[in-house]
Amino acid sequence: MALRFQQHPGLVAYLTAGDAGLSPGTPVATAGSHVPAHLVVTREIALAAIDAGADVIELGVPFSDPLADGPVIQRASERSLARGIRLRDVLALAKELRQARPNAGLVIFTYVNPVLRFGLKAFADAAAESGADGVLLTDMIVEEASEYIAEMNRVDLAPIFLAAPTSPEERLKAIAAHSKGFIYAISRTGVTGKRQELAADAAALVERIRRWSKLPVAVGFGISHADHVAEVGRFADAAVIGSAIVELIERSTEEQAPGVVARFIEGLRQLHPAQAL
Amino acid sequence: MASGILPETQTMSGLRPGRFGAYGGRYVPETLMAALEELEQAYIEAQEDSAFQAELSSLLKDFAGRPTPLYFAKRLSEELAGPNGGPKIYLKREDLLHTGAHKINNALGQGLLAKRMGKRRIIAETGAGQHGVATATTCALLGLECIVYMGEEDMRRQELNVLRMRLLGAEVRPVTSGSKTLKDAVSEALRDWVTNVRDTYYILGSALGPHPYPTMVRDFQRVIGLEIREQILAKEGRLPNAIIACVGGGSNAIGAFHPFLADKEVHLIGVEAGGRGKRLGDHAARFDGGLPGVLQGTYSYVLQDDDGQVALTHSVSAGLDYASVGPEHAMLHDLGRAEYTSANDIEALEAVVRLARIEGILPALESAHAIAECVRVAPKMGPHDILVVNLSGRGDKDMGILARELHLQGAQGE
């Protein structure tokens, strides 16, 4: 139960909680679960992802106005919201995942407003009680975060902040000072989404972060295949894969999705011999 | 702390930069932070640069047509006199500005700032299209590339403004996510900015969004209130009893109100869109059903459900159809310094007809909400009172909606 990366490079898998793709399929068996039926699919996918080698699962709580996200995660958020998924449901899911996989890292990933509405203190208590390890709010910057950080510290949850290629040194220093668990380095300017090439920005950013922090650094945004993961492994501790997974889920039936995601994650650490240098 | 941007604000709101009381701030992806800090710095420098201020003043005067008249609406005053004798009603004629609304004040200010910062690619969001047209106009004037994000629903209901923007050389990008209105256009503009942040300037159109926008847009719109003060003193020798303005994001209202904040005897009334009913989703009255929260970079009143999901909104006027409100209005609301009311779709439509027929002025549907409030309060006022209504824009853009809603075909002369 910690944000530790067992292998190198580590893998962080993002899932929009409650998104089970476009095709309804046969409902997955819900025996013994206390989460809504649509989250059972997310649970099965998360378990499969962990078993396939994901060190950390980011459980995305859908928000109506995801301004940091590209079209793939926007669509997933809309589907999840249409199914009535709420923050408290996602925390219930986190609890089940924690019980089922005590050693996996779990991060609650969302925007500021759902957390404010829940109540910052109540959220901190509930998230800690669920067994989550950390929280990432994409529109929370360190300057606005003093109450949030205090609450995270009170319940021993890791506040995870984003660092961007555009962040100047003094901002990286502040981000490093307030982060716990790991620092999430954004590989390029932009919203979430797959890209063909990994931006050259990423390595330089990670190098700059390392001047200020000894925490592991995970690189995300645009990472979608094994080449990217291998490249990230040369300069960072972990790779975050989001839209690529969400898109696979979008294209799969509910029954297929866990297996499809597991095979994809296994493949992320397997390079063709010619590329394995 | 950041900025002597505005001493008045800081004394009212404490020390956190970009805060209006508890409201405002910056809630954005980290990628934008450097750009917001750069913008704040450039804005502070521009404010202190007399050459910048002189260029802006010159454009506001010779290009945009400032100062706008403060017009005594004699027949409207007579009609709304009521049992107490009724006030003298003055209309601040922002509708007479170039491009047809107050939005040009801010677009010119930010356009000059973008040029000063060396940014040649301009993006903007628009609801009713007035800010989009003002931005497209500014970009044409200054030789800048212009991309405007507009919800598909708004493109449909404000088609004339879409055509104007295209004629002016701007690219209008339809936004198809969410409710396809202003909120979604803001999100899409922010997504563009976060992607192209190094060479792009985002001209935000209302007193919304992350710091420094609410302060900067307010400052560029303050000219409205400063002129009202000068003009009413010249005409009446005293300040008005009340100033009424419509509030979407709230830029015309904050511009009209701000120079009067210290004059406690001047009653300030902001009018939100009451839409078609009181149910969440049927209106855009943030102070009558909204709760403090974070939307699109700022902490303010937000129409939202129990889970913190932002609610859909409705108004006949695209420019007021937004789930949050400028953070300075949130502070003025909590302090009780300004009063916030709402007018519904029908009241706004009736106000359009009334002003058109009695004064020969066709107000924008947004501004008609302020007229509707004037219709309510004027009869309660006395003959020695003075009421100023900020007529923030003209209604030509709304002819399609008006024709449909008012059944204008065949209804002449009723």
Side-chain angles (χ1 to χ4, degrees):
Chain A
M1 166 171 181
L3 296 173
R4 264 194 304 267
F5 300 109
Q6 309 288 351
Q7 303 180 52
H8 184 85
L11 288 177
V12 179
Y14 168 90
L15 302 170
T16 299
D19 173 39
L22 296 174
S23 39
T26 320
V28 177
T30 59
S33 174
H34 298 288
V35 301
H38 289 298
L39 281 180
V40 173
V41 182
T42 307
R43 184 190 65 187
E44 297 306 313
I45 296 169
L47 294 175
I50 293 166
D51 295 343
D55 302 279
V56 174
I57 300 291
E58 288 179 344
L59 280 178
V61 180
F63 180 51
S64 52
D65 297 83
L67 59 83
D69 284 304
V72 170
I73 294 179
Q74 285 179 50
R75 289 198 299 270
S77 300
E78 283 178 18
R79 288 193 295 267
S80 174
L81 285 173
R83 288 167 180 150
I85 301 302
R86 313 171 63 183
L87 174 52
R88 67 183 73 251
D89 303 323
V90 182
L91 295 174
L93 170 63
K95 194 170 184 174
E96 291 201 354
L97 290 175
R98 168 55 63 231
Q99 284 162 358
R101 296 293 183 276
N103 296 320
L106 289 177
V107 172
I108 306 297
F109 187 105
T110 188
Y111 287 77
V112 171
N113 202 53
V115 168
L116 284 185
R117 191 76 184 90
F118 197 93
L120 197 51
K121 189 170 185 304
F123 169 75
D125 288 332
E129 203 266 324
S130 78
D133 302 296
V135 176
L136 199 166
L137 304 178
T138 48
D139 52 349
M140 180 65 95
I141 55 162
V142 285
E143 286 88 338
E144 303 287 1
S146 54
E147 292 150 321
Y148 163 68
I149 290 168
E151 284 300 319
M152 293 294 104
N153 288 340
R154 180 178 65 80
V155 298
D156 203 21
L157 281 173
I160 296 160
F161 288 98
L162 301 168
T166 50
S167 305
E169 291 307 303
E170 61 269 28
R171 294 198 57 79
L172 292 182
K173 191 178 169 186
I175 288 163
H178 294 295
S179 295
K180 290 188 176 161
F182 62 89
I183 291 175
Y184 188 136
I186 299 173
S187 69
R188 54 173 163 75
T189 63
V191 293
T192 56
K194 295 197 303 184
R195 290 292 188 281
Q196 283 308 309
E197 303 290 324
L198 188 67
D201 283 351
L205 173 60
V206 172
E207 194 186 318
R208 292 200 297 133
I209 292 169
R210 298 237 197 252
R211 285 180 212 154
W212 302 109
S213 176
K214 296 202 186 320
L215 287 176
V217 179
V219 174
F221 281 40
I223 295 179
S224 57
H225 51 74
D227 298 357
H228 292 160
V229 171
E231 196 178 335
V232 165
R234 290 188 195 109
F235 56 85
D237 302 288
V240 188
I241 300 95
S243 297
I245 293 174
V246 174
E247 197 169 28
L248 283 176
I249 295 169
E250 183 174 65
R251 291 179 185 164
S252 307
T253 65
E254 295 187 6
E255 299 89 338
Q256 292 168 338
V260 168
V261 171
R263 281 191 296 281
F264 175 71
I265 288 177
E266 281 162 7
L268 288 174
R269 284 199 176 105
Q270 292 165 1
L271 281 183
H272 301 295
Q275 297 169 304
L277 289 172
Chain B
M1 304 270 70
S3 85
I5 280 194
L6 222 265
E8 301 97 272
T9 298
Q10 298 221 326
T11 51
M12 294 183 83
S13 69
L15 293 171
R16 281 212 274 179
R19 286 281 168 173
F20 304 94
Y23 302 104
R26 282 173 170 158
Y27 297 88
V28 291
E30 171 64 23
T31 307
L32 290 181
M33 277 307 297
L36 289 169
E37 286 174 347
E38 179 193 9
L39 175 59
E40 179 180 7
Q41 196 52 44
Y43 174 60
I44 291 168
E45 285 167 18
Q47 268 197 318
E48 289 163 358
D49 178 355
S50 55
F52 177 88
Q53 295 300 337
E55 189 176 6
L56 178 56
S57 296
S58 163
L59 286 178
L60 286 174
K61 177 171 177 283
D62 296 329
F63 182 71
R66 300 212 74 91
T68 58
L70 186 68
Y71 163 72
F72 172 48
K74 185 163 174 291
R75 295 192 66 212
L76 184 67
S77 301
E78 285 166 9
E79 183 172 275
L80 298 177
N84 303 326
K88 289 177 87 169
I89 299 169
Y90 283 90
L91 303 178
K92 180 59 174 166
R93 298 293 309 275
E94 294 295 293
D95 62 311
L96 291 178
L97 277 176
H98 182 42
T99 71
H102 72 290
K103 294 293 187 188
I104 192 76
N105 302 327
N106 170 56
L108 284 172
Q110 289 200 53
L112 285 180
L113 189 57
K115 201 163 176 184
R116 187 189 159 93
M117 293 171 74
K119 311 256 182 184
R120 318 258 347 147
R121 180 177 182 271
I122 302 296
I123 57 170
E125 86 297 337
T126 197
Q130 290 302 104
H131 174 58
V133 168
T135 302
T137 299
T138 298
C139 290
L141 176 73
L142 301 178
L144 302 169
E145 181 189 354
C146 183
I147 294 152
V148 179
Y149 290 92
M150 188 170 189
E152 238 179 15
E153 166 67 13
D154 289 340
M155 287 179 72
R156 189 185 57 72
R157 56 180 169 170
Q158 302 284 341
E159 192 192 1
L160 193 61
N161 275 343
V162 176
L163 301 177
R164 289 168 77 193
M165 285 183 267
R166 286 181 178 148
L167 182 66
L168 287 159
E171 179 191 345
V172 182
R173 292 193 184 166
V175 177
T176 57
S177 55
S179 55
K180 306 177 177 60
T181 59
L182 178 58
K183 175 168 73 84
D184 313 289
V186 173
S187 283
E188 212 49 43
L190 284 167
R191 290 184 186 116
D192 180 315
W193 201 28
V194 87
T195 306
N196 303 296
V197 60
R198 290 185 171 106
D199 69 349
T200 297
Y201 185 106
Y202 178 17
I203 301 190
L204 216 163
S206 195
L208 290 168
H211 177 62
Y213 283 106
T215 300
M216 182 169 68
V217 175
R218 188 270 319 278
D219 288 352
F220 285 132
Q221 295 294 358
R222 277 184 97 232
V223 65
I224 303 171
L226 292 171
E227 284 179 11
I228 291 174
R229 173 180 281 272
E230 196 180 312
Q231 290 164 324
I232 203 73
L233 286 175
K235 285 172 195 283
E236 297 284 348
R238 67 180 187 87
L239 297 181
N241 297 76
I243 301 174
I244 301 177
C246 66
V247 182
S251 70
N252 90 83
I254 203 68
F257 292 173
H258 197 264
F260 295 92
L261 288 185
D263 304 297
K264 294 287 158 50
E265 71 276 19
V266 181
H267 190 41
L268 306 172
I269 305 171
V271 189
E272 301 186 282
R276 61 189 166 215
K278 289 274 185 194
R279 248 187 17 196
L280 194 63
D282 283 346
H283 64 87
R286 289 67 45 101
F287 293 119
D288 186 13
L291 285 169
V294 168
L295 178 63
Q296 297 174 334
T298 194
Y299 181 61
S300 184
Y301 281 73
V302 179
L303 288 165
Q304 54 183 304
D305 68 14
D306 292 342
D307 298 316
Q309 305 299 342
V310 178
L312 297 180
T313 53
H314 165 82
S315 170
V316 69
S317 68
L320 304 186
D321 199 353
Y322 184 67
S324 186
V325 61
E328 195 162 10
H329 287 292
M331 178 187 74
L332 296 175
H333 170 268
D334 286 10
L335 289 174
R337 179 61 193 94
E339 178 192 356
Y340 294 87
T341 65
S342 64
N344 65 30
D345 287 354
I346 292 169
E347 291 168 317
L349 287 161
E350 285 172 356
V352 169
V353 176
R354 187 188 287 259
L355 199 67
R357 298 203 175 165
I358 204 164
E359 290 287 354
I361 296 171
L362 173 57
L365 275 166
E366 290 76 17
S367 321
H369 286 70
I371 299 292
E373 177 63 16
C374 168
V375 169
R376 274 199 295 252
V377 302
K380 298 174 196 158
M381 297 173 76
H384 303 296
D385 292 339
I386 298 167
L387 179 58
V388 174
V389 181
N390 192 30
L391 202 67
S392 56
R394 68 177 186 228
D396 308 49
K397 71 183 175 60
D398 297 321
M399 281 317 301
I401 298 169
L402 294 172
R404 191 175 67 244
E405 296 288 335
L406 303 172
H407 310 291
L408 290 182
Q409 272 90 13
Q412 289 93 335
E414 268 181 272

